[in-house]
Amino acid sequence: MGFETSQGDRELANALRFLAMDAVQQAGSGHPGMPMGMAEIAVALWSRHLRHNPANPHWLDRDRFVLSNGHGSMLLYSLLHLTGYDLPMEELKNFRQLHSKTPGHPEYGMTPGVETTTGPLGQGLANAVGMALAESLLANEFNKSDARIVDHHTYVFVGDGCLMEGISHEACSLAGVLKLNKLIVLYDDNGISIDGDVVHWFHDDTPKRFEAYGWNVIRAVDGHDIDAVDAAIKAAKASDKPTLICCKTVIGEGAPTKAGSHDAHGSPLGDKEIAATRENLGWTAPPFVIPGEIYAAWDAKEIGANVEAEWSGLFDAYRTKYPQDAAEFERRMANRLPTDWSDKARAIIAAANERAETVATRKASQQVIEGLAAALPELLGGSADLTGSNLTNWKAARSVRVGENGASGNYVSWGVREFGMSAAINGLAVHGGHKVFGGTFLTFSDYSRNALRVAALMKAPSIFVFTHDSIGLGEDGPTHQSIEHVSSLRLIPQLQVWRPADTVETAVAWTQAIEHQGPSCLIFSRQNLAFNLRTDAQIANIAKGGYVLKDWNDTANERKVILIATGSEVELAVQAAEALTREGVAARVVSMPSTTLFDKQDATYRQGVLPHGVPRVAVEAGVTDFWRKYVGLEGGVVGIDVFGESAPAAALYKHFGITVDAVVKAAVETVGRKGH
């Protein structure tokens, strides 16, 4: 694809350099060094290999490009602008400004052509592992001997920082095992980070490290030699392994006094240095002006349209010969649920209600997953080495394994890689084609935290299953007992969090997560939880996040209290309500499996569930401060504000005072404070 003359190629690289340095200078902040150092690598990839169509950033079989070293975002924005995406020069001039399409780090859904949100180093690389896995799985499922409708590469730019991050080990180790040979990573080996020369703190033998993972490694490529990078990419595409191309570069290449220095990394070069760079590289155009011949050489619209048209012709023939497969592929890539989904979702919830079992919600979750797997061929599950504890598998699950045609299956054993799993799940989710979930213990959500946050930022439809919540897991002790985790997850914007109380709430939580156009956390118990009888109206209200499970019978009684509970503590609240009745206090039990959804309901509904003026007590086996938003400073909260202990669950609940008697006492005291 593209252009041939080395002189012309150098000018294409310089166009990237000057757009980056001028935009950073105008913004007064940013990272010019990486775009300047990777300019030739970008020319080699984007002009000679990358299959994409600027007029249709969502073409299904496009190559995916991930800028894992996202601080160099101006390189990506310049590439998108020059190749013909809907990113006009005015947006580059507004780099890092309010409401522009060129934020400081690339953001998914904001800028056309940006495949995933990057910036937290290493996560883009892990996202790319998920994307490459998605490609392999979809290819195995949908390709035919006479039609390869899924056949694209995932390319990643990384820097030293990405490879210092531990997540790079988690993700790349698994990529090697799965032989994701369409994953090609170009390493900007410039030896510089913000603090200076990395040799003083990063002296890994990176090529040997990746060879140990089972990768194909191409060493010592001159990153400023476009033909050399081009040849390396060609060799990578011929490999049966994922490839790391080690490109030796100079950060800030072209800047007379700052090239090769950390001074070029994370701040504007300054007017004097930029002027000297223009003279040094023979670039006479003023800021934000690109000569017409360079625009013409970079323009990928015609080539992109032709490449997509060729694929569309292939897919039309595929649709004629394999109409059901074609329709299924298009549905899944569009993230549309099957037409009979609503009926099947209702059936899954009804089945949970009919079972009326007292089981751990992790077991209830597994029962729901059986129904989901039958209803959703796109379901892709997995666990970070805890399948037997998380109960995330199902009877017909097929472990992802590598065969002659790459990876296939629908259940991923992620190994002990919680962060890598979560970030790769985000990559799978934004790639499209699967409803993907992964499980681990709730306490290990800490390892995953930044990936959960990025999922929320992207509104990626990732599903995170966390079991063994609270002190109820017992003897494993405080290292494994989640005290602050549920509340802290609820604080992440755009993250839907569920802590269901029984089989029915578990079924609703799962169906809501499947339907949600964003990420969800499903939090389940290790211990058995009692089943609750409900009316159809109550079951319908579960999807609102909070509802009246047990209402007060004595409506005329002035001594009223509302007990709010989640998960394993709903059972305590129900028993406490019965005891309060004997004490002459009318108690309403509100089950609130998803505070994040309840808070989104209209004021009329919320006030109907939690009427003003009625004393409230919350009970949850976790930190208490979160619940003040519902009960106020005068309300009661029964919870735990210290770390746990190692003992059987029943003993722990008694030891920490999370009991029926404690709830009753808190309720009586709260009613008393209200003067009733």
Side-chain angles (χ1 to χ4, degrees):
M1 299 173 63
F3 358 93
E4 299 300 333
T5 68
S6 58
Q7 178 63 36
D9 284 348
R10 282 197 294 273
E11 290 301 292
L12 300 188
N14 286 337
L16 298 173
R17 287 191 172 94
F18 285 100
L19 283 175
M21 69 178 79
D22 289 338
V24 169
Q25 185 68 22
Q26 178 150 309
S29 67
H31 300 76
M34 184 280 264
M36 296 172 71
M38 293 196 79
E40 282 83 8
I41 301 171
V43 171
L45 174 61
W46 279 66
S47 71
R48 301 186 184 183
H49 294 277
L50 194 71
R51 295 172 67 253
H52 64 119
N53 182 5
N56 182 12
H58 304 293
W59 168 38
L60 299 183
D61 199 42
R62 68 192 181 278
D63 287 340
R64 269 62 172 181
F65 175 76
V66 176
L67 191 79
S68 188
N69 43 355
H71 55 271
S73 56
M74 266 310 304
L75 177 63
L76 178 53
Y77 299 148
S78 299
L79 287 163
L80 294 171
H81 169 74
L82 291 169
T83 55
Y85 285 79
D86 183 18
L87 193 67
M89 184 65 81
E90 199 61 32
E91 294 291 349
L92 274 61
K93 292 179 180 179
N94 286 330
F95 178 53
R96 289 180 161 234
Q97 304 309 301
L98 186 64
H99 303 315
S100 76
K101 292 183 179 180
T102 51
H105 292 81
E107 294 185 31
Y108 176 77
M110 178 174 289
T111 312
V114 170
E115 300 284 3
T116 186
T117 294
T118 57
L121 292 175
Q123 279 200 67
L125 177 54
N127 293 164
V129 170
M131 293 176 186
L133 177 57
E135 193 276 344
S136 185
L137 296 175
L138 291 167
N140 261 293
E141 186 172 356
F142 287 101
N143 285 354
K144 311 295 181 184
S145 59
D146 58 344
R148 295 182 59 82
I149 61 165
V150 181
D151 190 8
H152 56 266
H153 287 81
T154 301
Y155 296 99
V156 194
F157 281 5
V158 303
D160 291 305
C162 292
L163 300 187
M164 284 188 237
E165 291 284 2
I167 192 174
S168 70
H169 167 78
E170 295 184 26
C172 295
S173 170
L174 184 62
V177 173
L178 296 177
K179 293 188 175 180
L180 300 177
N181 67 308
K182 290 190 177 176
L183 175 63
I184 299 175
V185 178
L186 294 113
Y187 168 32
D188 179 28
D189 183 10
N190 62 36
I192 297 293
S193 69
I194 291 176
D195 280 357
D197 190 336
V198 301
V199 71
H200 302 294
W201 51 86
F202 181 57
H203 203 196
D204 298 9
D205 189 331
T206 298
K208 284 186 178 179
R209 173 185 160 196
F210 275 78
E211 286 170 350
Y213 294 151
W215 283 53
N216 171 44
V217 176
I218 302 175
R219 299 167 177 252
V221 175
D222 182 351
H224 299 297
D225 184 334
I226 294 169
D227 291 334
V229 177
D230 174 38
I233 296 172
K234 288 176 181 175
K237 290 163 78 172
S239 176
D240 63 351
K241 302 175 182 179
T243 295
L244 178 73
I245 302 174
C246 301
C247 301
K248 294 297 296 182
T249 64
V250 175
I251 191 171
E253 171 69 6
T257 68
K258 295 187 177 183
S261 162
H262 71 102
D263 291 336
H265 179 92
S267 58
L269 296 181
D271 291 332
K272 183 178 179 180
E273 184 76 0
I274 290 175
T277 305
R278 277 183 156 77
E279 183 176 353
N280 185 40
L281 296 179
W283 186 266
T284 58
F288 300 109
V289 174
I290 302 297
E293 64 272 17
I294 293 179
Y295 264 128
W298 264 119
D299 192 344
K301 292 192 293 293
E302 182 178 352
I303 294 172
N306 291 337
V307 172
E308 183 179 353
E310 182 180 350
W311 179 86
S312 296
L314 174 68
F315 190 75
D316 287 343
Y318 181 93
R319 183 187 288 109
T320 299
K321 194 170 183 179
Y322 309 104
Q324 291 184 332
D325 287 330
E328 179 69 2
F329 177 73
E330 290 184 300
R331 177 190 73 78
R332 286 171 52 173
M333 292 302 292
N335 195 29
R336 293 195 307 267
L337 291 167
T339 54
D340 61 353
W341 163 251
S342 294
D343 292 339
K344 289 186 175 179
R346 283 193 293 269
I348 288 170
I349 296 168
N353 192 45
E354 289 168 9
R355 283 194 297 270
E357 292 178 298
T358 293
V359 296
T361 49
R362 61 172 175 157
K363 181 61 179 178
S365 169
Q366 187 177 46
Q367 294 168 342
V368 173
I369 291 171
E370 287 286 351
L372 295 174
L376 300 169
E378 61 264 44
L379 194 70
L380 177 66
S383 175
D385 206 50
L386 290 169
T387 295
S389 296
N390 297 150
L391 303 184
T392 41
N393 60 343
W394 61 98
K395 292 175 183 176
R398 294 172 290 108
S399 295
V400 170
R401 295 290 184 266
V402 180
E404 291 184 5
N405 297 314
S408 62
N410 59 11
Y411 190 86
V412 185
S413 294
W414 293 99
V416 187
R417 300 181 176 103
E418 294 89 356
F419 191 10
M421 173 185 73
S422 301
I425 282 173
N426 290 342
L428 279 153
V430 299
H431 178 283
H434 294 96
K435 283 288 183 182
V436 58
F437 70 89
T440 187
F441 287 172
L442 177 58
T443 192
F444 301 141
S445 65
D446 283 340
Y447 284 147
S448 307
R449 182 60 56 107
N450 203 257
L452 305 184
R453 184 177 186 273
V454 172
L457 183 60
M458 292 196 291
K459 299 182 181 178
S462 307
I463 301 175
F464 305 101
V465 175
F466 297 123
T467 70
H468 293 61
D469 69 334
S470 78
I471 58 174
L473 65 90
E475 294 86 343
D476 276 344
T479 60
H480 284 53
Q481 291 165 5
S482 301
I483 302 302
E484 74 280 17
H485 296 76
V486 180
S487 289
S488 65
L489 289 172
R490 291 172 178 144
L491 297 178
I492 299 176
Q494 300 177 168
L495 183 65
Q496 186 168 279
V497 180
W498 287 87
R499 187 175 184 243
D502 65 2
T503 57
V504 176
E505 288 189 2
T506 298
V508 173
W510 259 113
T511 56
Q512 288 293 304
I514 293 293
E515 294 174 10
H516 183 45
Q517 296 300 308
S520 300
C521 292
L522 306 180
I523 298 170
F524 301 125
S525 72
R526 177 191 185 224
Q527 74 273 32
N528 290 345
L529 305 186
F531 174 78
N532 296 283
L533 290 172
R534 298 176 181 82
T535 65
D536 289 343
Q538 286 175 311
I539 292 174
N541 282 337
I542 295 172
K544 296 179 180 178
Y547 65 103
V548 178
L549 177 63
K550 302 288 183 183
D551 213 354
W552 38 54
N553 295 321
D554 187 4
T555 56
N557 191 342
E558 291 186 358
R559 300 183 71 209
K560 290 188 176 70
V561 69
I562 299 171
L563 306 179
I564 309 169
T566 77
S568 47
E569 288 67 68
V570 169
E571 184 176 350
L572 294 180
V574 170
Q575 294 173 11
E578 295 169 354
L580 285 164
T581 299
R582 295 191 291 271
E583 300 236 1
V585 177
R588 165 182 283 187
V589 177
V590 171
S591 179
M592 198 176 288
S594 178
T595 64
T596 50
L597 264 179
F598 180 76
D599 290 348
K600 293 180 179 178
Q601 305 307 311
D602 61 52
T604 300
Y605 179 79
R606 287 185 280 112
Q607 187 170 340
V609 175
L610 301 175
H612 296 312
V614 180
R616 305 172 187 177
V617 173
V619 52
E620 185 174 66
V623 292
T624 59
D625 279 357
F626 173 84
W627 290 100
R628 291 294 166 193
K629 65 186 286 190
Y630 298 106
V631 305
L633 295 178
E634 296 298 317
V637 182
V638 177
I640 174 171
D641 289 315
V642 296
F643 291 116
E645 297 281 351
S646 181
L652 290 173
Y653 271 86
K654 184 177 180 180
H655 172 74
F656 288 111
I658 305 175
T659 63
V660 172
D661 289 345
V663 177
V664 170
K665 181 182 178 182
V668 171
E669 291 177 351
T670 302
V671 170
R673 283 196 294 271
K674 285 289 186 179
H676 293 304

